[in-house]
Amino acid sequence: DAGVTQSPTHLIKTRGQQVTLRCSPKSGHDTVSWYQQALGQGPQFIFQYYEEEERQRGNFPDRFSGHQFPNYSSELNVNALLLGDSALYLCATSSGGGSNQPQHFGDGTRLSIL
Amino acid sequence: QKEVEQDPGPLSVPEGAIVSLNCTYSNSAFQYFMWYRQYSRKGPELLMYTYSSGNKEDGRFTAQVDKSSKYISLFIRDSQPSDSATYLCAPEEEYGNKLVFGAGTILRVKS
């Protein structure tokens, strides 16, 4: 049973560029959440997708956007990259619409901005 | 003040010791309480998932929630070197959609 898979594992970009990160949910999961984890910190919630709609958003600017596809996979897009966007980006998936369901994480995409 | 506070450690213990990891929180709306373990260069792995106050045991792990004092604990019995990792507490509101993480506590178990 495949768990949550994320791609790519590592990415290097320069300031001002745009990036797209991808997430495939664990089998049976229909809800996808994205988190940003800076070095030495806990993950911070970016947003959650369910039924192809953004259901809730954390305290992140509009440069961060996302999409969920009919097969429940998801993308995270970040525009106009800043040095401060360097972090580990984690995808977490859950079942049953997501609310108060256990969230299972992938191993993340490590994004480095030069 | 952060919503969820954790002592960052590192906490260093000998193999076989009982480990106590703790979090405090400020949001009284939190009803679900999760503990995750994160190894270096890996994503968080769900260890314990509890609802409201009380204790929950799973193997060597026991999660304890005291909502009256807004205090969360994770106990690890017979600690092993393989338990060396960062431990993250993550509460969630009822009908909520987001986990609110502490900064994590680094645990080192020495053989």
Side-chain angles (χ1 to χ4, degrees), chain A residues 33 35 37 40-45 48 55-56 88 90 97-107 110, chain B residues 2 32 34 36 38 41-46 49 88 92-104:
Chain A
S33 303
Y35 292 81
Q37 186 175 24
Q41 300 297 317
Q44 273 196 289
F45 177 78
Q48 185 181 83
R55 182 157 69 176
Q56 186 171 354
L88 180 67
L90 294 161
S99 281
N100 301 137
Q101 295 297 312
Q103 294 189 27
H104 296 264
F105 284 81
D107 285 336
R110 187 161 299 280
Chain B
K2 292 184 178 180
Y32 290 82
M34 273 63 74
Y36 285 85
Q38 187 172 25
R41 302 188 179 279
K42 292 287 190 180
E45 171 193 1
L46 182 64
Y49 173 78
L88 299 152
E92 185 178 44
E93 295 183 10
E94 184 100 54
Y95 308 118
N97 300 308
K98 69 174 187 179
L99 300 173
V100 181
F101 281 87

Side-chain angles (χ1 to χ4, degrees), chain B residues 3 6 16 26 44 46 49 53 63-64 92 104:
Chain B
E3 272 192 291
Q6 272 187 274
S26 58
L46 182 64
Y49 173 78
S53 285
Q64 194 171 79
E92 185 178 44

Side-chain angles (χ1 to χ4, degrees), chain A residues 1-6 24-29 93 104-106:
Chain A
D1 177 22
V4 180
T5 57
Q6 291 187 244
S24 291
K26 182 179 169 69
S27 177
H29 286 188
T93 71
H104 296 264
F105 284 81

